[in-house]
Amino acid sequence: MISLFMTFSDSAGERRVRPAELDAVAELVGSIPDMTEAMLFTPLEQSVDHPYKADGSGPVFALQLRFPDLFACEAAMDRGGILASLATGAGLPGLTGLDVTHQVMLTRAFPVDVAEHPAATMDICSYLVHYPGPAEDMNAWNLHYLEHHPSIMRTFPHVRQIEIYTRIDWVDRLPSQRVEHMQRNKLVFDSPAALAHALGSDVIKHMRADFVKFPPFAGGNKHFPMLTRVVRPKRQS
């Protein structure tokens, strides 16, 4: 599975995407050919306690689009497509003038104890993390992280989804800026309160104990809790 991440940031930290604009984005991305699922991320209305609040409020808006393979993803990033329009904010004032980046990554899903979401999903909360890098030895970094960290993540209370994203090469014609973070990951919870409860548990101590064992890397990391709206693809003829 391939994931495309698009991140919309405001250096002044004052912009917000209005609900009507979010609806418009959902309508657009739902019609992208071969897209299998989309996640629309927006900042929480109220901050939640978590160990990395100093990382800031995060982006104004972010997208994760899933594709079955790299070729489908690259086709969606053509110069005249929906994603190119989103990258410029065409017809969506809330996205105009923002700093937009994008990255294509390999999706690695890991098991959780309870994966099903409740029927009401309006408050789903994702904990988005990225490591800009670089690592001194990317193979050693990936081996350690993938073999140790997901099993600790799984012990967070009520975590619904664990995904880790690693780098690949891709081509595109989007007008936004390409980034090549060495890794991203995402934890999903039923609500901001559930996320705050999990990150206030003793599991975070185990995460930190493993963190100090990571192979050498630069760039630090960033952590952002975001409300998450799931968009299913429209039926395409």
Side-chain angles (χ1 to χ4, degrees), residues 14-236:
E14 299 175 351
R15 299 279 289 277
R16 289 289 184 271
V17 177
R18 295 177 297 181
E21 291 172 324
L22 195 64
D23 290 342
V25 173
E27 183 73 14
L28 287 170
V29 300
S31 63
I32 294 174
D34 297 320
M35 187 276 295
T36 60
E37 187 178 48
M39 277 63 66
L40 281 57
F41 305 110
T42 51
L44 303 181
E45 294 296 328
Q46 297 180 335
S47 64
V48 299
D49 286 332
H50 66 101
Y52 305 100
K53 292 180 72 172
D55 289 348
S57 58
V60 173
F61 176 60
L63 282 171
Q64 178 188 357
L65 304 180
R66 298 189 194 276
F67 294 90
D69 56 52
L70 180 59
F71 303 110
C73 182
E74 289 179 334
M77 294 186 288
D78 199 11
R79 185 177 293 110
I82 290 171
L83 294 176
S85 296
L86 288 177
T88 61
L92 296 165
L95 301 184
T96 304
L98 296 174
D99 298 322
V100 187
T101 65
H102 65 275
Q103 182 174 15
V104 178
M105 307 190 82
L106 177 68
T107 302
R108 299 173 184 266
F110 292 85
V112 294
D113 293 329
V114 181
E116 297 81 9
H117 289 289
T121 59
M122 294 301 293
D123 292 328
I124 289 177
C125 187
S126 296
Y127 202 48
L128 303 182
V129 181
H130 69 268
Y131 292 80
E136 290 184 8
D137 182 333
M138 277 305 307
N139 187 56
W141 164 269
N142 284 326
L143 281 172
H144 180 95
Y145 200 102
L146 296 171
E147 289 178 354
H148 294 87
H149 235 48
S151 60
I152 304 173
M153 294 172 172
R154 185 174 183 173
T155 64
F156 276 122
H158 307 300
V159 62
R160 298 290 194 172
Q161 187 181 79
I162 299 169
E163 290 186 344
I164 295 174
Y165 313 96
T166 52
R167 296 185 309 180
I168 58 174
D169 291 323
W170 81 95
V171 298
D172 73 80
R173 295 183 174 85
L174 295 182
S176 45
Q177 178 187 352
R178 291 167 62 106
V179 293
E180 296 192 19
H181 298 329
M182 69 177 186
Q183 187 194 297
R184 301 175 191 255
N185 60 59
K186 181 181 72 177
L187 301 177
V188 178
F189 297 88
D190 289 338
S191 67
L195 181 145
H197 172 70
L199 296 181
S201 70
D202 288 341
V203 178
I204 202 69
K205 297 177 182 178
H206 303 297
M207 296 281 283
R208 287 169 168 163
D210 188 46
F211 177 86
V212 300
K213 299 176 184 178
F214 286 176
F217 73 103
N221 51 25
K222 295 290 186 180
H223 309 71
F224 302 119
M226 306 284 282
L227 285 176
T228 305
R229 176 172 174 177
V230 179
V231 176
R232 308 297 181 189
K234 299 177 183 177
R235 301 182 68 177
Q236 298 162 5

